[in-house]
Amino acid sequence: MGGCVVSTPKEIIRTLWSEPGDMRVGPVARVALLAPVDKDYSYTVPDELAGQVEPGRRVVVPFGRRGRRVPAFCVSVADEQWTSTLRPVAEVLDDQRLLSDSLLELGRWMARYYCCPLGRTLAAMVPAAIRVQSGFRTVRTCRLARTGEEAAKGVRLSAQRRAVIDCLTAHPEGLTIEALLEATGAGRAVVTALAKAGVVEIRTHREPAPAPDFDRPGTEPAFQLNRTQRTAVERIVAMAAERRFRAVLLFGVSGSGKTEVYVHAIRAVLAVGRQAILLVPEIALTTQIVERLTSRFRDVAVIHSGLTGTQRSLTWAAIARGEKRVVIGTRSAIFAPCPDLGLIVVDEEQEGSYKNLQAPRFHTRDVAIKRAQLAGVPVVLGSATPSLETWHNCDRYRHFERISLPARISGLPMPTVEFVDLRMAQGERKGVHLLSERMEQAIRRTLEAGQQAVLLLNRRGYANYLMCSRCRHPVLCPRCQVNMVFHQTTGMAVCHYCQSKMPVPTKCEDSSCGGKLIRWGMGTQRVEEELRVKFPEARIARADSDTMLRSEHYEDMIRALAERRTDILVGTQMVAKGLDFPAVAFVGVVNADTSLAIPDFRASERTFQLITQVAGRAGRAEAGGHVVVQSLAGVSPVLSFAIRHDYEGFARHELGIRRQLGWPPFSRLARVVISHTSRDRARAEANALARGITSFLAEHKLAGQVLGPQAAPLAQLRNCYRYELLIQAADASRLLETLETLRHNKVLKPSGQQVMVDVDPVSLQ
Ligand code: ADP
Ligand code: ZN
């Protein structure tokens, strides 16, 4: 440093401090702060912490000019040259690594891909409770400091003290404090006093605590796998044995035996001493599938939201020690610290609940694929209605493959599906009926046969439609010909397809009629009321987010259905998923219009999945499952594919449309939401951002475009105005490149309060 020209005061100070002799070589740790900052920082490792500062442990470091102490994840340690300008790590928080090298690597990928600061990403991978106590318990053992009589010399001995000394004399190996107190009946103060006097020695050490037991061994089914199942298992096991990364879509209708394939593939992996992770969607956790799966394994861990912090952290530690070998759980289970992972299974891979709704906004399925790639293991994606992304990937990428299970195991046919056009049906009877006569008859027959019915309506409460009281002609969107929805707050009629609005007409639009318009509602609550009038004897239950406030409610609902205390269950999508009850013979879809789904390019896909899923609930045990699908918008192509159980036809059709319009999977999206307490500021910032990104894309000759900005669907949230825009890029690497450069140039502050970035959004709501 001696000869260099010094210009700024800051550099002068730095030069004064770092004399040439100050240059040293030693361990330097790079850390990612848990605060929302977008880079990592270097600190030296002081001698007394050498060996304790390692990647994947948390440390405390001085930060900023004042040297405020802040927590951070250590991400690497290496010998480097440093000068005394570098400050030392102040403290190490964890007594063992919370993240292995491969999980750190996964975290780095997530931070980059999902535009989230690394420290925050790593923190999200480790449940909060584990960060407090890493699966250890503190044990205090007592023994005599000196031997026998000598110990007692010079100490006044009460009866209790005497008893403690005698007990410890009999146990020279030492006793835990609890055992000692129990054996002698002495108080804690007695032991403390003896320790003070130097008679008793208390040692504190930490030892692994046992994790909760999730094993519920059940009886093994008697059947053999059929030929297609066997082939599927062999294929997956071969990949696992070769330690080869592949993504396998296991495509089969419900009841085709996918679960049995998971179980056998996982067992093969366990047999060679490795571990497996099985992911299930949120809704499934309290349902039968988890129970069924858990009963098939030993050393199983179930990660769910009902675990207490301590249970979670003990479970995590037991997984890390390799004691729990099968991990079953929702999103966060993908970060389970399995030491030698052999297989990952993602059941119902198309489920939207796999997307994390807070930063890092990761998609669990995609993280699973990445983890499998880093670990060199296969990942199995199971579904009857795969996401179009996955379906398309099987045609596009060499490391994807499709295995089909073509039929229901039982040889039972798929349920018959019948279509009712509500527009026609409305005219046939007096009054407003949400249930057509066909639907009513089917329910009646089901009840008479002593069986159960499930009704689905993807809308809770009441939703309002308009129609003529005289000729029953509905108020339709002039552009889309679907029912307009009456919005109480604005008094406008709105089309949920194209979002066009109009003032509510005063009279029937058919000029030859001119009748008065009436409102009628459609929602789960309204259906329940109609059912109670039409089937006064039936035991009716309703399941939607208004009635299912806690998971116990959901469990009760399931139990009532299982024990046949419910005859008719009506509900939103939560009745469509994961239920398997033999006595459910009839399923009704009250309204299958895609306009009832979200205003989103995935509306058709969602509708197809939902109808297929709910139809799969009918006739699981006996032949003759029956489904009635009603619609207010006629038979759309989506409905006709759903009615024929034709996923492949649907996928071809829908992918054709997506390709034409350039939506995923033919492009990648990132959604950017700007919020501000001032509406004008929010709009102005969104406009500026959109312009900035557009010119950036042009400048860098990146194929892509900005859609919007527009007011977000939830335009006003917690007193903030929200504007959103979509960045659309040709593929993932171009989207990543775009986002990274924007982030680097501080165009996007991914961590800021005002800007939210969601890469690969699953819902544009
Ligand atoms: P999916 O996961 O595709 O819905 P499951 O694996 O749950 O299908 O299988 C459906 C039903 O068929 C279950 O009751 C299961 O026990 C049974 N099953 C699965 N495989 C066989 C088989 N090879 N022989 C007989 N029954 C089977
Ligand atoms: Zn319209």
Side-chain angles (χ1 to χ4, degrees):
M1 291 236 159
C4 68
V5 182
V6 171
S7 49
T8 68
K10 209 170 173 184
E11 281 177 54
I12 294 172
I13 292 171
R14 195 172 288 162
T15 321
L16 285 176
W17 274 357
S18 38
E19 293 300 320
D22 239 12
M23 186 77 86
R24 295 185 213 161
V25 173
V28 170
R30 294 200 68 79
V31 308
L33 302 187
L34 296 186
V37 285
D38 218 2
K39 58 186 270 211
D40 46 7
Y41 295 88
S42 296
Y43 291 86
T44 63
V45 179
D47 288 345
E48 68 272 19
L49 295 181
Q52 289 180 54
V53 177
E54 54 176 347
R57 283 212 218 181
R58 283 167 320 142
V59 294
V60 173
V61 292
F63 189 71
R65 235 184 312 161
R66 298 241 179 91
R68 198 161 47 89
R69 291 158 58 91
V70 296
F73 267 97
C74 172
V75 293
S76 69
V77 182
D79 278 340
E80 280 176 30
Q81 273 198 349
W82 53 272
T83 64
S84 54
T85 49
L86 216 53
R87 289 180 284 189
V89 170
E91 197 185 323
V92 177
L93 287 176
D94 307 309
D95 43 20
Q96 72 191 122
R97 295 186 62 165
L98 301 183
L99 292 161
S100 64
D101 285 338
S102 62
L103 284 171
L104 276 175
E105 183 65 35
L106 187 67
R108 277 197 203 93
W109 174 81
M110 281 171 57
R112 233 184 112 215
Y113 189 82
Y114 292 107
C115 268
C116 183
L118 180 59
R120 179 153 186 195
T121 306
L122 298 180
M125 296 171 72
V126 181
I130 291 142
R131 285 181 258 132
V132 177
Q133 44 166 328
S134 4
F136 281 75
R137 63 175 174 201
T138 304
V139 181
R140 303 210 287 164
T141 47
C142 309
R143 66 182 75 213
L144 287 180
R146 288 157 278 160
T147 46
E149 286 305 301
E150 205 183 317
K153 264 184 215 153
V155 183
R156 227 167 22 86
L157 285 186
S158 63
Q160 286 200 340
R161 288 183 175 192
R162 185 79 250 170
V164 166
I165 290 173
D166 288 347
C167 181
L168 289 178
T169 310
H171 292 276
E173 75 285 358
L175 280 177
T176 64
I177 276 202
E178 289 74 24
L180 180 63
L181 298 182
E182 168 97 40
T184 58
R188 207 168 268 270
V190 175
V191 180
T192 317
L194 284 172
K196 257 204 190 124
V199 177
V200 167
E201 192 176 86
I202 301 179
R203 284 218 192 119
T204 304
H205 67 103
R206 313 238 290 144
E207 65 174 39
D213 182 17
F214 300 98
D215 291 8
R216 304 271 177 281
T219 47
E220 268 302 290
F223 56 76
Q224 303 270 303
L225 293 188
N226 65 28
R227 208 163 45 86
T228 46
Q229 284 173 314
R230 241 186 359 254
T231 316
V233 172
E234 280 162 12
R235 185 90 191 94
I236 297 162
V237 172
M239 293 170 199
E242 288 171 32
R243 301 200 173 233
R244 193 145 69 99
F245 161 60
R246 300 273 296 170
V248 177
L249 168 62
L250 189 62
F251 171 55
V253 296
S254 71
S256 61
K258 298 186 293 295
T259 308
E260 222 45 52
V261 171
Y262 308 154
V263 169
H264 283 80
I266 290 174
R267 283 198 183 146
V269 164
L270 301 182
V272 295
R274 304 173 73 192
Q275 301 93 36
I277 298 176
L278 194 158
L279 300 168
V280 291
E282 192 78 65
I283 194 88
L285 263 184
T286 43
T287 60
Q288 300 160 303
I289 184 160
V290 171
E291 272 167 39
R292 256 183 67 198
L293 283 165
T294 315
S295 72
R296 304 294 294 280
F297 299 106
R298 288 182 182 284
D299 306 326
V300 71
V302 182
I303 310 278
H304 60 83
S305 52
L307 294 183
T308 65
T310 311
Q311 286 173 329
R312 195 174 276 258
S313 101
L314 295 177
T315 305
W316 218 248
I319 295 169
R321 291 193 300 268
E323 291 165 20
K324 299 280 178 203
R325 303 188 308 144
V326 183
V327 181
I328 300 176
T330 49
R331 293 187 292 266
S332 62
I334 191 54
F335 306 122
C338 307
D340 186 11
L341 186 61
L343 178 67
I344 306 175
V345 177
V346 185
D347 189 32
E348 304 285 357
E349 66 88 31
Q350 81 286 352
E351 273 293 323
S353 71
Y354 279 128
K355 177 83 177 181
N356 203 34
L357 295 179
Q358 287 153 8
R361 295 171 194 275
F362 61 89
H363 196 300
T364 315
R365 175 203 52 224
D366 297 335
V367 175
I369 294 174
K370 188 68 192 178
R371 183 162 184 192
Q373 187 199 2
L374 292 173
V377 303
V379 53
V380 175
L381 312 175
S383 181
T385 53
S387 64
L388 290 173
E389 283 82 356
T390 296
W391 187 258
H392 186 56
N393 284 342
C394 291
D395 295 329
R396 172 159 67 162
Y397 293 123
R398 294 221 336 258
H399 59 273
F400 268 78
E401 77 180 62
R402 193 159 24 214
I403 300 182
S404 299
L405 300 178
R408 281 183 159 183
I409 289 281
S410 51
L412 288 179
M414 296 300 284
T416 54
V417 182
E418 191 184 341
F419 178 77
V420 174
D421 190 334
L422 270 186
R423 289 177 304 187
M424 319 278 274
Q426 287 292 4
E428 290 163 6
R429 285 192 285 176
K430 267 200 144 62
V432 176
H433 298 265
L434 300 190
L435 309 177
S436 61
E437 282 182 294
R438 286 296 299 148
M439 180 93 86
E440 271 180 57
Q441 281 161 11
I443 296 173
R444 185 153 294 124
R445 269 203 308 275
T446 307
L447 298 180
E448 279 164 9
Q451 290 170 318
Q452 295 166 300
V454 169
L455 298 190
L456 169 82
L457 178 56
N458 206 10
R459 174 154 237 145
R460 65 197 163 90
Y462 299 83
N464 290 309
Y465 294 91
L466 297 155
M467 79 174 160
C468 172
S469 58
R470 199 181 302 157
C471 74
R472 320 235 133 225
H473 187 75
V475 175
L476 300 177
C477 169
R479 269 197 268 176
C480 314
Q481 292 301 307
V482 302
N483 280 258
M484 301 285 271
V485 177
F486 176 69
H487 281 226
Q488 192 89 48
T489 42
T490 54
M492 302 287 269
V494 179
C495 168
H496 280 196
Y497 264 130
C498 70
Q499 302 297 314
S500 68
K501 294 184 180 63
M502 63 178 185
V504 176
T506 47
K507 292 202 295 271
C508 177
E509 289 166 308
D510 186 344
S511 53
S512 66
C513 168
K516 229 177 85 194
L517 289 181
I518 51 169
R519 268 191 255 156
W520 59 284
M522 177 170 272
T524 43
Q525 204 175 334
R526 184 60 190 67
V527 173
E528 184 189 7
E529 285 164 15
E530 187 169 325
L531 283 169
R532 289 200 188 282
V533 173
K534 288 180 172 165
F535 303 98
E537 260 91 76
R539 294 163 299 176
I540 298 164
R542 174 159 64 95
D544 55 34
S545 51
D546 293 328
T547 59
M548 302 283 126
L549 297 174
R550 286 201 302 272
S551 64
E552 298 97 88
H553 297 157
Y554 191 74
E555 283 159 31
D556 290 346
M557 179 268 283
I558 294 197
R559 202 167 311 122
L561 202 61
E563 293 168 3
R564 318 266 302 246
R565 285 183 279 114
T566 297
D567 299 314
I568 308 175
L569 174 66
V570 51
T572 53
Q573 63 203 28
M574 59 179 80
V575 306
K577 296 173 183 178
L579 307 183
D580 182 1
F581 296 108
V584 173
F586 175 76
V587 165
V589 179
V590 179
N591 188 349
D593 297 347
T594 41
S595 64
L596 273 188
I598 37 182
D600 186 321
F601 69 92
R602 287 197 180 88
S604 298
E605 185 177 357
R606 292 278 146 69
T607 305
F608 182 89
Q609 287 166 348
L610 201 57
I611 293 177
T612 309
Q613 267 169 354
V614 76
R617 304 297 124 223
R620 308 248 318 168
E622 292 165 53
H626 184 196
V627 179
V628 169
V629 175
Q630 305 185 143
S631 161
L632 276 164
V635 189
S636 59
V638 181
L639 285 190
S640 71
F641 287 119
I643 288 167
R644 283 181 274 128
H645 309 287
D646 182 7
Y647 174 83
E648 299 190 36
F650 165 74
R652 240 188 329 272
H653 169 84
E654 189 64 18
L655 283 169
I657 294 175
R658 298 267 186 98
R659 184 193 297 274
Q660 228 168 29
L661 300 178
W663 288 118
F666 300 97
S667 65
R668 289 274 178 143
L669 299 177
R671 182 167 171 248
V672 182
V673 178
I674 294 98
S675 25
H676 203 282
T677 45
S678 142
R679 185 202 298 260
D680 292 340
R681 278 289 297 281
R683 193 192 302 121
E685 283 189 18
N687 278 321
L689 188 57
R691 274 196 306 274
I693 298 172
T694 306
S695 58
F696 173 85
L697 291 172
E699 207 175 291
H700 291 75
K701 300 206 168 35
L702 287 167
Q705 58 171 331
V706 177
L707 309 173
Q710 62 199 17
L714 279 169
Q716 207 184 339
L717 194 68
R718 282 179 241 114
N719 285 328
C720 268
Y721 290 91
R722 290 151 40 94
Y723 277 78
E724 64 167 33
L725 49 93
L726 284 178
I727 304 175
Q728 189 177 37
D731 53 42
S733 61
R734 258 167 273 191
L735 182 63
L736 190 57
E737 191 185 340
T738 307
L739 289 174
E740 277 211 314
T741 322
L742 291 171
R743 207 168 148 183
H744 196 70
N745 297 347
K746 303 263 190 293
V747 182
L748 283 182
K749 299 162 287 179
S751 48
Q753 286 290 310
Q754 321 292 17
V755 182
M756 184 277 278
V757 182
D758 184 2
V759 177
D760 296 339
V762 297
S763 146
L764 299 184
Q765 290 245 70

